[in-house]
Amino acid sequence: MTDRLLARDDGARPWRDAVQEALYGPGGFYRRPEGPAGHFRTSVHASPLFASAVARLLCRVDESLGQPDELVFVDMAAGRGELVTGVLAALPSGVAARTRAYAVEIADRPLALDHRIEWLAEPPKGITGMLFANEWLDNVPVDVVEVDAAGVARLVLVRPDGSERLGEPVGGEAARWLGRWWPPGPEEGLRAEVGLPRDLAWAGAVASVARGLAVAVDYTHLAGARPPFGTLTGFREGRETAPVPDGSCDITAHVALDACALPGARLLTQRDALRALGVTGGRPPLSLATTDPTAYVRALAGAGEAAELTAPGGLGDFGWLVQPVGMPNPLAG
C-alpha cells in the first residue's frame, strides 16, 4: 500500500482520463496504422457470417420501415471498415442500392475502402435505418474505484507506467450511478467501473436514430453478477496484457449493458441473437460429403465459424442491446 500514499505530483490521474489519452489522443492506440485487428479479434474478424447476419437484421429493419428510399447503416467504432464492407457485400442488390453506409471512426479513412462508404468522426443525425456498435462501448473510458481500508470507495489513479494509487472518495453522479448499478461492497480491495460515460454515449448514439434500430454488442455483465474486482484489462498483439495507459495496447473493460438500456430495449446474448438471424452452427449432413464434397467442406467450415460466434464461454456470451426507435423490435422474443 505504500505506493498509494505517494505525493500527488507523481503523474497519477483517474483511469478515465488516462485511457482517453492513451486510446484516442495524438499517437493513441486507435490511431495506429495497423488498426484494432492487429491486436485483437472480434466477431467481425472471426467470420463473414457475422456481417451476413447483421445484413439480414438490416433487411428486417428495412421491411419494418416500409423500404424507405434511403436506408442508412452506421458502423460505430468501425476499425478499418471491415463490418460495413461485409454488410454491403451481403445485402441483396435491391437493398444495397438504397443503402447509405457510414463508418464512424477517429482514425484516418483507409485508402482502399469502398467509395460507397462515408467516413465520419461522429454518427450522422436523424437517420432512418440502423446504427450498429460492435465492441465500441467497452472502449468508452470509465473511472475505476476501489474500496479502502475504511470501506470508502475511492477513485483509482494510474501513472503512465500502469502503477496505481487511491485518490479522492467517489461522489456526485458517479456515486449515485454506483449505488444504483454497481455497489462495490464494504470490503477493502473490491473494485468497480463507473459506467455512466457509457450510458451517456449510448443515449447519444440512439438519439441519432430518427426511425430504426440501434444495436450495441459487447462484453457484458449484469446486476447481481458484477465482477467483484472489475474487468479492466489490456490487449496487445492478440494477447491479454496488463493495462498500461501509454498508447501501446488496447485498454478495455466489460460493459454494464443493463445500465445503458433505454425504455423498449431488449438485452440478449449473441448466441440467441445470431441464432434468430440464422447462424446456428449445425453440421452439414454426411451424405453431402458423398454427393458434393466441395460443398460439404465449405458447409463444415461455415459450421465451425458459426460455432465460434455462438460458443458459450466465448463470443456467444457477448451481450446484444437492441434498441428500437419508432418501430417494433425485430429480435423480440
PDB file of all heavy atoms in Angstrom, residues 55-56 59 87-99:
ATOM      1  N   ALA A  55     -26.403  -7.970 -41.892  1.00  0.00           N
ATOM      2  CA  ALA A  55     -27.114  -7.584 -43.117  1.00  0.00           C
ATOM      3  C   ALA A  55     -28.558  -8.083 -43.092  1.00  0.00           C
ATOM      4  O   ALA A  55     -29.478  -7.366 -43.507  1.00  0.00           O
ATOM      5  CB  ALA A  55     -26.380  -8.129 -44.339  1.00  0.00           C
ATOM      6  N   ARG A  56     -28.779  -9.295 -42.599  1.00  0.00           N
ATOM      7  CA  ARG A  56     -30.153  -9.801 -42.502  1.00  0.00           C
ATOM      8  C   ARG A  56     -30.966  -8.981 -41.504  1.00  0.00           C
ATOM      9  O   ARG A  56     -32.162  -8.722 -41.723  1.00  0.00           O
ATOM     10  CB  ARG A  56     -30.134 -11.288 -42.111  1.00  0.00           C
ATOM     11  CG  ARG A  56     -29.688 -12.200 -43.237  1.00  0.00           C
ATOM     12  CD  ARG A  56     -29.979 -13.660 -42.942  1.00  0.00           C
ATOM     13  NE  ARG A  56     -29.126 -14.190 -41.893  1.00  0.00           N
ATOM     14  CZ  ARG A  56     -27.896 -14.683 -42.104  1.00  0.00           C
ATOM     15  NH1 ARG A  56     -27.372 -14.681 -43.313  1.00  0.00           N
ATOM     16  NH2 ARG A  56     -27.191 -15.171 -41.096  1.00  0.00           N
ATOM     17  N   CYS A  59     -32.010  -5.884 -43.185  1.00  0.00           N
ATOM     18  CA  CYS A  59     -33.141  -6.149 -44.080  1.00  0.00           C
ATOM     19  C   CYS A  59     -34.451  -6.205 -43.302  1.00  0.00           C
ATOM     20  O   CYS A  59     -35.492  -5.742 -43.797  1.00  0.00           O
ATOM     21  CB  CYS A  59     -32.912  -7.443 -44.852  1.00  0.00           C
ATOM     22  SG  CYS A  59     -31.642  -7.330 -46.143  1.00  0.00           S
ATOM     23  N   VAL A  87     -21.197  -5.990 -44.618  1.00  0.00           N
ATOM     24  CA  VAL A  87     -22.653  -5.823 -44.678  1.00  0.00           C
ATOM     25  C   VAL A  87     -23.086  -5.420 -46.076  1.00  0.00           C
ATOM     26  O   VAL A  87     -24.045  -5.984 -46.637  1.00  0.00           O
ATOM     27  CB  VAL A  87     -23.120  -4.790 -43.630  1.00  0.00           C
ATOM     28  CG1 VAL A  87     -24.572  -4.381 -43.870  1.00  0.00           C
ATOM     29  CG2 VAL A  87     -22.955  -5.360 -42.222  1.00  0.00           C
ATOM     30  N   LEU A  88     -22.407  -4.448 -46.678  1.00  0.00           N
ATOM     31  CA  LEU A  88     -22.761  -4.039 -48.042  1.00  0.00           C
ATOM     32  C   LEU A  88     -22.650  -5.210 -49.014  1.00  0.00           C
ATOM     33  O   LEU A  88     -23.502  -5.382 -49.901  1.00  0.00           O
ATOM     34  CB  LEU A  88     -21.858  -2.896 -48.497  1.00  0.00           C
ATOM     35  CG  LEU A  88     -22.163  -1.508 -47.942  1.00  0.00           C
ATOM     36  CD1 LEU A  88     -21.124  -0.506 -48.431  1.00  0.00           C
ATOM     37  CD2 LEU A  88     -23.562  -1.056 -48.347  1.00  0.00           C
ATOM     38  N   ALA A  89     -21.628  -6.029 -48.858  1.00  0.00           N
ATOM     39  CA  ALA A  89     -21.440  -7.167 -49.758  1.00  0.00           C
ATOM     40  C   ALA A  89     -22.520  -8.216 -49.583  1.00  0.00           C
ATOM     41  O   ALA A  89     -22.863  -8.937 -50.542  1.00  0.00           O
ATOM     42  CB  ALA A  89     -20.061  -7.785 -49.527  1.00  0.00           C
ATOM     43  N   ALA A  90     -23.079  -8.327 -48.373  1.00  0.00           N
ATOM     44  CA  ALA A  90     -24.061  -9.376 -48.078  1.00  0.00           C
ATOM     45  C   ALA A  90     -25.500  -8.960 -48.355  1.00  0.00           C
ATOM     46  O   ALA A  90     -26.388  -9.811 -48.378  1.00  0.00           O
ATOM     47  CB  ALA A  90     -23.931  -9.808 -46.620  1.00  0.00           C
ATOM     48  N   LEU A  91     -25.745  -7.667 -48.560  1.00  0.00           N
ATOM     49  CA  LEU A  91     -27.115  -7.213 -48.786  1.00  0.00           C
ATOM     50  C   LEU A  91     -27.619  -7.626 -50.164  1.00  0.00           C
ATOM     51  O   LEU A  91     -26.849  -7.642 -51.132  1.00  0.00           O
ATOM     52  CB  LEU A  91     -27.188  -5.683 -48.689  1.00  0.00           C
ATOM     53  CG  LEU A  91     -27.064  -5.056 -47.299  1.00  0.00           C
ATOM     54  CD1 LEU A  91     -26.985  -3.538 -47.418  1.00  0.00           C
ATOM     55  CD2 LEU A  91     -28.250  -5.460 -46.420  1.00  0.00           C
ATOM     56  N   PRO A  92     -28.909  -7.946 -50.283  1.00  0.00           N
ATOM     57  CA  PRO A  92     -29.496  -8.128 -51.617  1.00  0.00           C
ATOM     58  C   PRO A  92     -29.295  -6.855 -52.442  1.00  0.00           C
ATOM     59  O   PRO A  92     -29.284  -5.742 -51.898  1.00  0.00           O
ATOM     60  CB  PRO A  92     -30.978  -8.375 -51.320  1.00  0.00           C
ATOM     61  CG  PRO A  92     -31.020  -8.831 -49.904  1.00  0.00           C
ATOM     62  CD  PRO A  92     -29.900  -8.137 -49.204  1.00  0.00           C
ATOM     63  N   SER A  93     -29.153  -7.013 -53.743  1.00  0.00           N
ATOM     64  CA  SER A  93     -28.786  -5.872 -54.589  1.00  0.00           C
ATOM     65  C   SER A  93     -29.789  -4.730 -54.484  1.00  0.00           C
ATOM     66  O   SER A  93     -29.402  -3.549 -54.471  1.00  0.00           O
ATOM     67  CB  SER A  93     -28.657  -6.322 -56.044  1.00  0.00           C
ATOM     68  OG  SER A  93     -29.876  -6.908 -56.501  1.00  0.00           O
ATOM     69  N   GLY A  94     -31.080  -5.059 -54.387  1.00  0.00           N
ATOM     70  CA  GLY A  94     -32.084  -4.005 -54.297  1.00  0.00           C
ATOM     71  C   GLY A  94     -31.971  -3.190 -53.028  1.00  0.00           C
ATOM     72  O   GLY A  94     -32.164  -1.966 -53.030  1.00  0.00           O
ATOM     73  N   VAL A  95     -31.650  -3.866 -51.919  1.00  0.00           N
ATOM     74  CA  VAL A  95     -31.465  -3.154 -50.644  1.00  0.00           C
ATOM     75  C   VAL A  95     -30.160  -2.378 -50.667  1.00  0.00           C
ATOM     76  O   VAL A  95     -30.099  -1.215 -50.232  1.00  0.00           O
ATOM     77  CB  VAL A  95     -31.495  -4.142 -49.465  1.00  0.00           C
ATOM     78  CG1 VAL A  95     -31.274  -3.404 -48.148  1.00  0.00           C
ATOM     79  CG2 VAL A  95     -32.821  -4.905 -49.439  1.00  0.00           C
ATOM     80  N   ALA A  96     -29.112  -2.992 -51.183  1.00  0.00           N
ATOM     81  CA  ALA A  96     -27.813  -2.314 -51.247  1.00  0.00           C
ATOM     82  C   ALA A  96     -27.891  -1.035 -52.055  1.00  0.00           C
ATOM     83  O   ALA A  96     -27.243  -0.032 -51.721  1.00  0.00           O
ATOM     84  CB  ALA A  96     -26.764  -3.258 -51.833  1.00  0.00           C
ATOM     85  N   ALA A  97     -28.707  -1.023 -53.113  1.00  0.00           N
ATOM     86  CA  ALA A  97     -28.822   0.163 -53.961  1.00  0.00           C
ATOM     87  C   ALA A  97     -29.441   1.339 -53.220  1.00  0.00           C
ATOM     88  O   ALA A  97     -29.187   2.499 -53.579  1.00  0.00           O
ATOM     89  CB  ALA A  97     -29.650  -0.168 -55.200  1.00  0.00           C
ATOM     90  N   ARG A  98     -30.244   1.051 -52.182  1.00  0.00           N
ATOM     91  CA  ARG A  98     -30.882   2.123 -51.402  1.00  0.00           C
ATOM     92  C   ARG A  98     -30.134   2.440 -50.108  1.00  0.00           C
ATOM     93  O   ARG A  98     -30.544   3.334 -49.366  1.00  0.00           O
ATOM     94  CB  ARG A  98     -32.322   1.713 -51.053  1.00  0.00           C
ATOM     95  CG  ARG A  98     -33.270   1.666 -52.229  1.00  0.00           C
ATOM     96  CD  ARG A  98     -34.703   1.372 -51.785  1.00  0.00           C
ATOM     97  NE  ARG A  98     -34.876  -0.004 -51.348  1.00  0.00           N
ATOM     98  CZ  ARG A  98     -35.028  -0.373 -50.084  1.00  0.00           C
ATOM     99  NH1 ARG A  98     -35.023   0.531 -49.115  1.00  0.00           N
ATOM    100  NH2 ARG A  98     -35.180  -1.651 -49.773  1.00  0.00           N
ATOM    101  N   THR A  99     -29.055   1.713 -49.835  1.00  0.00           N
ATOM    102  CA  THR A  99     -28.364   1.847 -48.556  1.00  0.00           C
ATOM    103  C   THR A  99     -27.270   2.909 -48.634  1.00  0.00           C
ATOM    104  O   THR A  99     -26.430   2.893 -49.537  1.00  0.00           O
ATOM    105  CB  THR A  99     -27.744   0.509 -48.132  1.00  0.00           C
ATOM    106  OG1 THR A  99     -28.790  -0.451 -47.938  1.00  0.00           O
ATOM    107  CG2 THR A  99     -26.962   0.656 -46.827  1.00  0.00           C
TER     108      THR A  99
END
